[in-house]
Amino acid sequence: MEHSIKEKYKFWGIGIVICLIFICISKLSSKPDPSDLKTISVNAPKSMHSAFEETLKSLKVDDEYRIEFTDDVSANFVVNEGLKADGKLIAFSPFIAAFNSDEDLYSKMVEEEIFVPSESNSDFEDFDFKKIMEQTLSSSGSNFKVYYPAKNSDSWEEFYSFLLFTANDGCYPKPGINMEETQKYVEDFLNSKNIEPITANSLERINTVPQNSIYFITYADLAYLYKTSGISKIIVMYPKTVVYHNYYASFDETGKILYEFLSKPISTFSYSSDHVGYDNLKDNYFNTSFTSGTYRFTSVNYNDIRKRDSYNAVEIPDVTVNNDSSKEVNYEN
């Protein structure tokens, strides 16, 4: 009799333990009610969205906070882009040139010394864009059509600075005659018939690069296009002088929570990071001050994307330049 009572209590105990285990599993697996979460409104490029969401998941705070993406300039956390944007620098990406991947075209560009051995990395060639500018302004002209960020884009001022560096043989022009002559050269180039501004919306509709075209775009934006639009048959070339496009974060007290999450360390059995949010930005093909380089966004062919971590990057000096080109074109592809 006593033995059967003990057995009965034993089974009750096992049953209670099993019930508690299932209750715990249910709580861990069930998603929290969105209305119970603290919302952080975020105005940022779409290419950054997954990095911010993954940061909450990595830190296991997605049961306390949720991100609501918006175009509202009064969002809790706003990413501002460009040369003189406000906020804290969180990411940057180099301007690169996208070409058609035709092998004969590549060989021709090497033969004509437009693709030249890189001084910063002997495993690669740099793109000598100054020679395309010279061809464009010559009496015979150039066979290439060059597309560049439109003047009303966030990256226009940085790209214009790239043109100044390139036109002046890799050096930023000095104030006075050197600046005036360089600006005149750049403006003549921008006003040439084969040079066209292009908007971000137009870029999103491109699925390949024609053989006679050059598209200037940031590495991060091209990676996002590859993932979303399937753009293919391209190679990436880094110019002899590389300029960055910058991303800055401004935020209120609520947005500061997300900003501080970017720098949080985590350590698990399979993964550790000193700055989890910045690592997630790197995973989305952005460069940051806390990470080394970035990733290739395709593995189809090692020579197609030619992702590089070393190149001749230059800082744009803090000067005021009148970069309002006389060419007014509203180009839509």
Side-chain angles (χ1 to χ4, degrees):
M1 179 73 173
E2 183 180 345
H3 178 71
S4 63
I5 292 174
K6 287 182 178 179
E7 286 293 315
K8 181 169 66 174
Y9 283 129
K10 178 182 177 181
F11 285 119
W12 281 357
I14 294 173
I16 291 171
V17 170
I18 293 174
C19 286
L20 289 173
I21 291 174
F22 277 108
I23 289 172
C24 290
I25 292 174
S26 176
K27 286 185 176 180
L28 289 173
S29 61
S30 63
K31 292 184 179 180
D33 188 332
S35 63
D36 294 333
L37 305 181
K38 185 175 181 64
T39 298
I40 304 173
S41 59
V42 174
N43 182 343
K46 291 179 181 178
S47 51
M48 286 186 170
H49 288 189
S50 61
F52 295 140
E53 291 178 323
E54 189 59 37
T55 297
L56 298 190
K57 294 178 183 177
S58 299
L59 293 171
K60 295 183 172 27
V61 294
D62 51 339
D63 58 349
E64 300 177 55
Y65 301 94
R66 64 182 288 267
I67 291 177
E68 181 181 86
F69 294 107
T70 175
D71 293 329
D72 190 345
V73 295
S74 300
N76 301 129
F77 185 98
V78 178
V79 176
N80 306 298
E81 302 179 50
L83 183 59
K84 298 177 181 178
D86 296 326
K88 304 282 190 180
L89 180 68
I90 61 169
F92 48 95
S93 188
F95 283 103
I96 51 83
F99 286 83
N100 185 281
S101 60
D102 180 76
E103 292 183 5
D104 291 338
L105 172 64
Y106 186 87
S107 298
K108 179 182 177 183
M109 299 293 270
V110 172
E111 182 181 340
E112 294 181 0
E113 297 184 337
I114 296 174
F115 292 168
V116 296
S118 172
E119 295 181 3
S120 59
N121 189 330
S122 59
D123 292 333
F124 296 96
E125 288 82 33
D126 286 343
F127 172 32
D128 190 349
F129 183 53
K130 177 70 177 292
K131 289 182 179 175
I132 297 295
M133 297 180 78
E134 291 171 343
Q135 289 179 5
T136 301
L137 293 172
S138 69
S139 58
S140 57
S142 171
N143 293 326
F144 280 100
K145 192 158 190 173
V146 178
Y147 296 95
Y148 66 91
K151 282 199 302 178
N152 60 355
S153 70
D154 293 321
S155 55
W156 161 247
E157 289 188 327
E158 291 156 323
F159 183 77
Y160 185 83
S161 293
F162 160 72
L163 293 177
L164 293 177
F165 273 110
T166 303
N168 200 43
D169 299 318
C171 298
Y172 198 81
K174 295 179 180 179
I177 294 176
N178 182 219
M179 175 62 78
E180 291 173 2
E181 290 178 344
T182 305
Q183 282 189 294
K184 176 65 166 54
Y185 187 91
V186 168
E187 288 165 6
D188 288 345
F189 171 75
L190 290 172
N191 283 308
S192 302
K193 65 178 183 178
N194 282 357
I195 314 304
E196 297 283 2
I198 187 167
T199 66
N201 289 336
S202 296
L203 277 171
E204 289 178 358
R205 296 194 291 272
I206 294 171
N207 57 19
T208 190
V209 176
Q211 284 200 35
N212 64 337
S213 296
I214 304 169
Y215 285 84
F216 279 100
I217 185 173
T218 66
Y219 184 86
D221 283 346
L222 185 60
Y224 183 72
L225 281 180
Y226 177 81
K227 297 296 184 182
T228 56
S229 72
I231 187 171
S232 61
K233 297 182 180 179
I234 53 174
I235 60 169
V236 166
M237 293 298 300
Y238 288 74
K240 290 180 67 176
T241 303
V242 174
V243 167
Y244 287 115
H245 178 55
N246 296 312
Y247 304 81
Y248 299 85
S250 59
F251 40 82
D252 58 17
E253 284 302 309
T254 300
K256 187 178 180 181
I257 296 170
L258 177 59
Y259 176 70
E260 291 179 343
F261 281 160
L262 298 179
S263 298
K264 289 282 187 182
I266 64 168
S267 181
T268 66
F269 177 76
S270 60
Y271 172 71
S272 65
S273 170
D274 293 328
H275 306 90
V276 61
Y278 292 105
D279 276 351
N280 287 325
L281 285 168
K282 176 180 177 177
D283 289 344
N284 283 267
Y285 312 102
F286 290 95
N287 297 75
T288 81
S289 301
F290 299 98
T291 56
S292 175
T294 185
Y295 297 115
R296 295 178 70 244
F297 52 84
T298 176
S299 58
V300 174
N301 177 351
Y302 178 77
N303 291 320
D304 54 2
I305 299 306
R306 300 176 70 81
K307 193 278 300 185
R308 292 169 56 178
D309 292 329
S310 61
Y311 39 82
N312 181 32
V314 294
E315 291 291 331
I316 301 171
D318 186 15
V319 296
T320 300
V321 177
N322 178 14
N323 57 23
D324 185 19
S325 170
S326 59
K327 184 177 185 180
E328 295 287 349
V329 179
N330 182 17
Y331 176 78
E332 291 290 337
N333 194 39

